[in-house]
């Protein structure tokens, strides 16, 4: 059950003014009166609201969230602050409940203190005591291991008690913020103790973090186990990149504007580059990262999802089934290069000076086997073999200890077929490009050629920038805010389905198999933009990587 803020008969009239800036030119439309609803306290039954008006904030109905592995970094830095931010924005029901499950000898008040500290340190919105007091009344903690039947019996009792005291109506999402090896154990325990089966008229959902398997075989095995307990539409696989405003803006950019979609094809696009770069090393994640690597950790999920959104056809509607259908068409049309060795590169960061300090190489990190062949950098070339994209290469790359932290999608256009200008006039002119900046500076850049002021005809690249922070008064919510709210609402638009997961592994598995039998990863200096072999890979195609 989901509810939205009701319409109201009380209204106030305000005057709004928006501006659009391009270069040094600012355009201000005429002022106009806008009617803004004055929103009362949440009214769950107001019949005047229009559920079809997506401009109204969506509010979760009676519900609770159970987090397994609640003591981990993800929970402390992202999940618990996101829950508070949703409550602070009025998007959670008054009786919302939060249950933590972990191997700690804590009481409810100890758990509440942990949540309080996490919220104070990491929440996006200001701390308000009245919001906190309402939230803390619904917090419970269950100590125990994942194979502890007594703990799961206590969890069931806590859920039933919250139904009675907080009015959660039997609606619960179970968030598995645990290593993938524990997924089967947790979902089987939920089934064994009757927690996965919802009482009549209510719902139960499972939220699963990546990585979902380490190859196609393990992903299929895990899908079988999870779907034995939960129906496919009850399973929400988290890819937090899909919760970012800029990623969702790909769809708005393409399908809500007439000027881009007509040229978004092989007739005009030369190639596409999708980059996710990090300027940090693995930190204390050796136990997770070694044996997984950059390609499995990032390309299989984040980058292939970004590629699918960039390349897909217009969906019939903005709903989960329509989006799934179009993304699957792209993933199934992906064609690997015939010579995988020549069109893929893997690397490991080496010791170097970065950011004013000497940093260790991957093989010197604590907990890493000096003989490890795990990739901390991966670059691959893919082709989408369909009418829209035939002949347009997609270059995907990711890495740790690179020049800076940035994620972007760059659609690079072909050069003009005929130029009436002298070569000297255009020697500083590159290719037109549309760059969607996913993080950290969320927005979009359009690069094109413009005449330099003066008496001579000299053309140089210039850019037009759109930045979320400058164009909207409200800051973008964190990805986990949007995704947790969507889980509680049952909105699966931004969650990959099991078919997408399996198709992505079909793409990556042959590359990983090739790497496993062909030598060691190339070394690259920390703080650089990857191994030289990656530059050579694009140079063979007459192209070069962008330097964000």
């Amino acid at each position: 059950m989901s509810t939205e803020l009701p319409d109201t008969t009380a209204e106030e009239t305000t005057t709004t003014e928006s501006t659009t800036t391009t270069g040094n030119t600012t355009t201000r439309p005429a002022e106009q009166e806008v009617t803004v609803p004055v929103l009362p306290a949440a009214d769950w039954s107001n019949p005047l609201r229009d559920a079809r008006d997506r401009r109204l904030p969506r509010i979760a109905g009676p519900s609770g969230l159970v987090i397994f592995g609640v003591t981990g970094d993800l929970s402390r830095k992202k999940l618990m602050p996101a829950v508070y931010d949703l409550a602070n924005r009025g998007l959670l029901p008054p009786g919302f409940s939060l249950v933590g499950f972990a191997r700690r000898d804590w009481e409810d008040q100890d758990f509440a203190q942990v949540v309080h500290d996490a919220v104070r340190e990491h929440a996006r919105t200001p701390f308000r005591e009245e919001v906190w007091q309402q939230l803390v009344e619904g917090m419970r903690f269950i100590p125990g291991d994942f194979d502890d039947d007594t703990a799961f019996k206590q969890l069931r009792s806590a859920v039933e008690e919250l139904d009675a005291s907080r009015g959660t109506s039997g609606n619960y999402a179970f968030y598995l913020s645990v290593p993938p090896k524990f997924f089967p154990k947790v979902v089987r325990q939920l089934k064994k103790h009757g927690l996965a089966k919802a009482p009549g008229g209510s719902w139960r959902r499972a939220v699963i973090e990546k990585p979902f398997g380490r190859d196609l075989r393990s992903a299929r095995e895990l899908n079988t186990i999870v779907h034995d307990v939960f129906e496919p539409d009850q399973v929400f696989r988290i890819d937090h990149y899909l919760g970012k405003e800029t990623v969702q803006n790909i769809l708005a950019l393409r399908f809500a504007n007439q000027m881009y979609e007509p040229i978004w094809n092989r007739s005009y696009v030369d190639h596409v580059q999708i980059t996710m770069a990090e300027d940090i090393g693995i930190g204390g994640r050796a136990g997770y990262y070694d044996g997984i690597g950059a390609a499995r950790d990032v390309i299989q999920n984040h980058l292939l999802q970004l590629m699918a959104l960039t390349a897909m056809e217009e969906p019939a509607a903005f709903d989960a089934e329509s989006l799934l259908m179009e993304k699957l068409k792209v993933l199934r049309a992906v064609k690997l290069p015939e010579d995988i060795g020549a069109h893929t590169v893997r690397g490991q960061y080496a010791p170097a000076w970065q950011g004013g300090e000497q940093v260790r190489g991957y093989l010197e990190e604590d907990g890493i086997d000096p003989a490890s062949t795990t990739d901390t950098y991966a670059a691959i070339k893919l082709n989408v073999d369909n009418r829209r994209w035939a002949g347009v290469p997609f270059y995907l790359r990711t890495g740790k200890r690179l020049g800076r932290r940035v994620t972007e999608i760059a659609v690079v256009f072909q050069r003009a077929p005929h130029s009436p200008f002298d070569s000297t006039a255009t020697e500083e002119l590159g290719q037109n490009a549309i760059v969607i900046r996913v993080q950290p500076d969320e927005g979009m850049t359009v690069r094109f050629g413009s005449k330099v002021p003066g008496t001579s005809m000299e053309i140089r690249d210039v850019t037009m920038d759109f930045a979320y922070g400058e164009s909207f008064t409200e800051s973008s919510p964190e990805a986990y805010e949007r995704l947790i709210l969507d889980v509680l609402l049952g909105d699966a638009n931004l969650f990959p389905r099991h078919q997408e997961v399996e198709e992505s592994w079909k793409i990556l598995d042959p590359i990983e198999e090739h790497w496993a039998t062909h030598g060691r990863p190339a070394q690259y200096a920390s703080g650089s933009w990857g191994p030289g072999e990656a530059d050579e890979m694009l140079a063979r195609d007459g192209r070069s990587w962008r330097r964000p």
Side-chain angles (χ1 to χ4, degrees):
M1 173 181 175
S2 67
T3 57
E4 296 174 336
L5 281 178
D7 293 337
T8 175
T9 54
E11 297 177 337
E12 67 178 5
T13 299
T14 62
T15 299
T16 61
E17 182 181 70
S18 63
T19 63
T20 303
T21 303
T22 303
N24 295 321
T25 303
T26 299
T27 302
R28 297 182 184 271
E31 293 187 357
Q32 56 182 333
E33 290 188 344
V34 179
T35 300
V36 180
V38 178
L39 300 174
D43 177 0
W44 312 109
S45 59
N46 190 326
L48 298 178
R49 66 179 179 83
D50 183 354
R52 295 168 299 177
D53 191 346
R54 297 187 68 88
R55 295 170 298 176
L56 296 175
R58 301 178 304 157
I59 303 176
S63 55
L65 179 66
V66 179
I67 302 179
F68 293 94
V70 76
T71 56
D73 276 355
L74 175 64
S75 179
R76 183 173 60 86
K77 294 179 180 179
K78 297 294 184 181
L79 304 185
M80 292 185 283
V83 167
Y84 171 81
D85 287 332
L86 287 171
N88 206 11
R89 295 166 59 202
L91 301 180
L92 296 182
F96 179 81
S97 300
L98 178 65
V99 182
F101 189 112
R103 291 181 296 178
R104 292 288 192 279
D105 188 20
W106 287 348
E107 300 293 335
D108 291 346
Q109 61 268 26
D110 301 319
F111 174 56
Q113 185 61 49
V114 170
V115 178
H116 178 275
D117 294 344
V119 166
R120 283 285 197 177
E121 184 176 358
H122 299 290
R124 180 179 65 89
T125 59
F127 187 85
R128 292 196 295 156
E129 187 63 31
E130 64 272 23
V131 173
W132 172 252
Q133 288 303 323
Q134 184 173 8
L135 198 56
V136 77
E137 289 176 6
M139 291 185 188
R140 304 290 187 271
F141 183 78
I142 307 299
D145 293 317
F146 300 138
D147 54 2
D148 184 349
D149 286 338
T150 301
F152 277 85
K153 290 177 182 177
Q154 291 175 347
L155 175 59
R156 178 165 181 168
S157 296
V159 165
E160 292 171 348
E161 180 267 318
L162 289 168
D163 283 344
S165 64
R166 301 283 290 174
T168 49
S169 300
N171 299 323
Y172 285 91
F174 300 99
Y175 200 119
L176 278 62
S177 179
V178 299
K181 64 182 179 181
F182 294 120
F183 292 169
K185 186 173 291 187
V186 173
V187 297
R188 284 168 174 158
Q189 285 282 55
L190 290 173
K191 179 181 181 180
K192 178 179 179 180
H193 294 278
L195 287 159
K197 184 175 177 59
S202 59
W203 51 259
R204 299 290 163 91
R205 295 169 185 144
V207 186
I208 301 179
E209 277 280 349
K210 73 173 185 70
F212 202 81
R214 57 169 289 117
D215 53 24
L216 178 60
R217 180 187 58 80
S218 60
R220 283 176 168 166
E221 289 175 355
L222 189 53
N223 279 329
T224 300
I225 292 169
V226 172
H227 291 164
D228 181 55
V229 179
F230 294 95
E231 294 298 322
D233 62 357
Q234 294 178 283
V235 181
F236 290 72
R237 296 166 181 81
I238 288 277
D239 184 337
H240 71 273
Y241 262 58
L242 300 187
K244 293 180 179 293
E245 289 284 350
T246 326
V247 172
Q248 298 165 53
N249 198 40
I250 297 171
L251 300 177
L253 169 73
R254 292 188 56 195
F255 304 127
N257 298 290
Q258 182 64 19
M259 64 180 122
Y260 296 122
E261 187 63 11
I263 59 172
W264 209 266
N265 55 60
R266 65 185 300 273
S267 298
Y268 299 93
V269 175
D270 179 76
H271 69 282
V272 179
Q273 296 184 24
I274 303 178
T275 298
M276 177 184 166
E278 296 180 274
D279 56 4
I280 59 173
I282 62 166
R285 301 175 67 216
Y288 161 77
Y289 197 87
D290 199 40
I292 297 294
R296 288 190 176 101
D297 189 41
V298 175
I299 290 180
Q300 184 272 335
N301 40 75
H302 299 329
L303 297 196
L304 285 176
Q305 282 289 319
L306 293 181
M307 175 180 166
L309 289 171
T310 303
M312 73 183 212
E313 298 297 326
E314 181 177 358
F318 188 63
D319 58 52
E321 291 302 323
S322 298
L323 289 169
L324 170 65
M325 184 182 302
E326 297 306 333
K327 286 194 289 181
L328 279 177
K329 288 178 183 177
V330 173
L331 295 174
R332 288 169 177 166
V334 167
K335 185 177 180 181
L336 294 174
E338 293 184 5
D339 187 348
I340 291 178
H343 295 102
T344 67
V345 173
R346 59 174 176 158
Q348 289 178 339
Y349 61 82
W353 284 89
Q354 182 182 22
E357 63 175 336
Q358 179 76 38
V359 298
R360 292 184 291 184
Y362 178 72
L363 298 179
E364 288 81 47
E365 296 280 16
D366 294 336
I368 298 299
D369 183 347
S372 172
T373 59
T374 298
D375 48 293
T376 65
Y377 176 98
I380 65 176
K381 174 186 176 181
L382 300 175
N383 290 286
V384 179
D385 196 14
N386 62 18
R387 180 179 293 271
R388 180 185 288 262
W389 295 110
V392 177
F394 285 73
Y395 300 103
L396 281 57
R397 63 171 170 170
T398 183
K400 291 186 176 295
R401 290 276 183 221
L402 296 181
R404 60 173 295 219
R405 173 177 173 263
V406 62
T407 301
E408 67 171 35
I409 303 163
V411 179
V412 182
F413 291 89
Q414 300 170 15
R415 297 185 184 276
H418 169 70
S419 174
F421 307 107
D422 294 335
S423 59
T424 55
T426 59
E427 60 185 356
E428 294 187 44
L429 183 64
Q431 291 171 273
N432 298 159
I434 296 174
V435 182
I436 301 169
R437 303 189 304 273
V438 177
Q439 68 176 14
D441 179 24
E442 296 181 334
M444 186 181 80
T445 296
V446 178
R447 185 179 71 192
F448 59 97
S450 178
K451 180 184 177 301
V452 177
T455 57
S456 63
M457 179 57 75
E458 180 184 356
I459 301 174
R460 189 178 301 168
D461 279 339
V462 296
T463 60
M464 287 195 306
D465 282 318
F466 152 67
Y468 266 91
E470 296 176 2
S471 299
F472 299 102
T473 56
E474 182 180 358
S475 62
S476 297
E478 287 287 334
Y480 280 98
E481 290 177 52
R482 171 67 188 271
L483 296 174
I484 289 174
L485 180 60
D486 280 358
V487 169
L488 299 177
L489 291 166
D491 185 345
N493 288 0
L494 301 179
F495 297 86
R497 298 291 187 92
H498 68 276
Q499 300 99 317
E500 296 171 72
V501 173
E502 293 183 8
E503 291 299 330
S504 296
W505 281 121
K506 289 179 184 178
I507 295 169
L508 189 61
D509 275 0
I511 296 173
E512 290 284 358
E513 290 166 5
H514 174 86
W515 286 347
T517 57
H518 287 76
R520 297 184 57 81
Q523 298 292 298
Y524 63 95
S526 295
S528 70
W529 279 100
E533 288 84 344
D535 294 325
E536 294 169 7
M537 182 181 88
L538 261 69
R540 283 192 288 271
D541 293 344
R543 301 182 176 98
S544 61
W545 290 109
R546 280 176 46 82
R547 291 292 183 261

